[in-house]
Amino acid sequence: MITPEKPNPFHILRLSTRATLAEIVARGEELYQLAESKEEEMLFRWATEQLKTNVRTRLAYELFEFPEAQYEDEEWEAFIRRHRRKPVTLATLAQGTPPLSVEDVNTAELLQQLLESEITIAEADLEPVLHSTPFVPRYTLPLEEWDVICG
């Protein structure tokens, strides 16, 4: 029977739903040996037992697991192993690089870039100015006597 409080055993063991019984047992033992706490040991034992004891329980877990779920990417792991480098420290980089001097900086190009970024004139949009009147009269025609006298 599926236990809703615990995650899917395939997820715990990081196995595909197509894993054989031998793969399940081997992975369960491997993870059990690598467990860092008693809770992890019990979780790995539980997951292994859930998948190997009852066929109907395993089928139920297979149905609720994402299809083609992969918990380990072997191609990525191989890439990492092949291209692994030792970490570079800032001190190591500084040893091989001479300090910068004034001659290393192209001041003309730097000044040109600064001016281009600071002095930009946006194109004016004259359409609203040309097609609308800036003065909106307060009164409409015909004017009445009160409008003329009191302004």
Side-chain angles (χ1 to χ4, degrees):
M1 178 162 165
I2 291 182
T3 312
E5 301 88 38
K6 294 187 180 179
N8 195 311
F10 287 107
H11 183 77
I12 294 170
L13 298 176
R14 296 182 201 103
L15 286 172
S16 168
T17 54
R18 296 180 184 168
T20 63
L21 186 58
E23 291 172 335
I24 293 170
V25 171
R27 179 59 65 90
E29 281 301 314
E30 176 187 345
L31 292 174
Y32 181 79
Q33 297 297 326
L34 296 173
E36 295 178 356
S37 66
K38 194 69 171 168
E39 291 81 23
E40 283 185 355
E41 287 179 359
M42 293 186 63
L43 186 64
F44 294 139
R45 273 291 172 214
W46 172 84
T48 306
E49 292 300 319
Q50 287 293 311
L51 296 179
K52 73 178 190 180
T53 55
N54 191 346
V55 177
R56 298 189 83 186
T57 305
R58 177 186 170 148
L59 180 61
Y61 281 117
E62 283 179 17
L63 293 175
F64 287 107
E65 185 63 12
F66 288 110
E68 302 299 322
Q70 287 184 313
Y71 300 106
E72 291 181 354
D73 191 355
E74 293 174 11
E75 291 178 22
W76 177 250
E77 295 296 328
F79 177 82
I80 291 173
R81 272 186 256 112
R82 204 171 332 123
H83 298 289
R84 182 172 300 195
R85 293 184 179 167
K86 293 182 181 177
V88 178
T89 62
L90 189 57
T92 308
L93 288 175
Q95 286 177 353
T97 308
L100 290 177
S101 65
V102 176
E103 291 82 28
D104 294 331
V105 179
N106 186 350
T107 53
E109 181 64 28
L110 181 63
L111 187 58
Q112 180 69 29
Q113 293 292 327
L114 179 66
L115 289 175
E116 284 179 4
S117 67
E118 292 298 319
I119 303 174
T120 55
I121 299 172
E123 189 158 334
D125 185 17
L126 298 177
E127 286 296 319
V129 175
L130 295 175
H131 297 294
S132 65
T133 60
F135 175 72
V136 178
R138 218 169 41 164
Y139 306 108
T140 58
L141 295 176
L143 293 176
E144 295 188 15
E145 297 167 358
W146 178 260
D147 296 332
V148 174
I149 296 172
C150 297

